[in-house]
Amino acid sequence: MQIIYDMKLFKSLLLPLFGSAVLNVCGQNTAPTPVVPPSLPPPAAKTPAGEKEVAVIKTTEGDMVIEFWDDAAPNTIASFKKLAKTNFYDGTCFHRVIKGFMIQGGDYLSKDPAQEAAWGTGDPGFTLKAEFNNHPHVRGVISMARKGGQNDSASSQFFICHGNPSSLDHQYTTFGKLIKGDDVLEKIATTPTHPPDRPDKRMGIISIRIVPASSVK
């Protein structure tokens, strides 16, 4: 999944992502960081009827908590929750990081460092109808990545804004915001990278758990 950004600073994002084109990591001078299987948290408790849920994104750099905008993108949120509850995201990583713009994850291929050249092309085998809304892309907002130029092509990959990329408004589906862990977002977004926007150190997503909002302090 590719996010297109029309500012000159992000022209490098205009790369073909699907079909015959594959992200190229030629010129990388360092070997991939070995992945140490983390200890996963226990399954989340069932949310009481009527209580709001949040997503706890446990990363190698700390935890982030996402609040959902249920009225803005209900189908997108339902899909994200379903994937999280089936452990789809566990062991993946933030495979694209651009300081001042966003951090992107959610590709199951990123579980395997040997497939780094293909990171960003994986999906769960389905796509979602776009749910563009009036929530702007500002720091901490979570939005769905998609194939360039194709509105109804989002699936599992998502990004969290580090900057305020307003040019993405009404072109990508925003569906929530960060309510805890801005310091973690900062750590991931400012980590050193190598082409094509790959973190030098693995920014792992240990797990994403959907939990009752009242359980998060």
Side-chain angles (χ1 to χ4, degrees), residues 8 42 54 57-58 66-68 84 110 176 178 180 190 195 204:
K8 183 181 297 184
V54 297
I57 305 177
K58 185 177 183 63
I66 296 291
E67 175 185 76
F68 296 112
S110 69
L178 194 68
K180 185 178 180 181
T190 58

Side-chain angles (χ1 to χ4, degrees), residues 123-175:
D123 64 63
F126 63 82
T127 57
L128 301 168
K129 186 173 179 59
E131 294 179 288
F132 302 148
N133 55 70
N134 292 325
H135 289 284
H137 287 80
V138 295
R139 182 175 176 129
V141 164
I142 187 170
S143 187
M144 292 301 294
R146 61 177 175 82
K147 298 179 187 178
Q150 300 182 39
N151 287 343
D152 301 329
S153 61
S155 56
S156 63
Q157 293 188 44
F158 62 89
F159 62 96
I160 302 174
C161 297
H162 183 237
N164 302 303
S166 59
S167 65
L168 304 184
D169 293 351
H170 305 292
Q171 297 185 57
Y172 294 82
T173 300
T174 54
F175 62 100

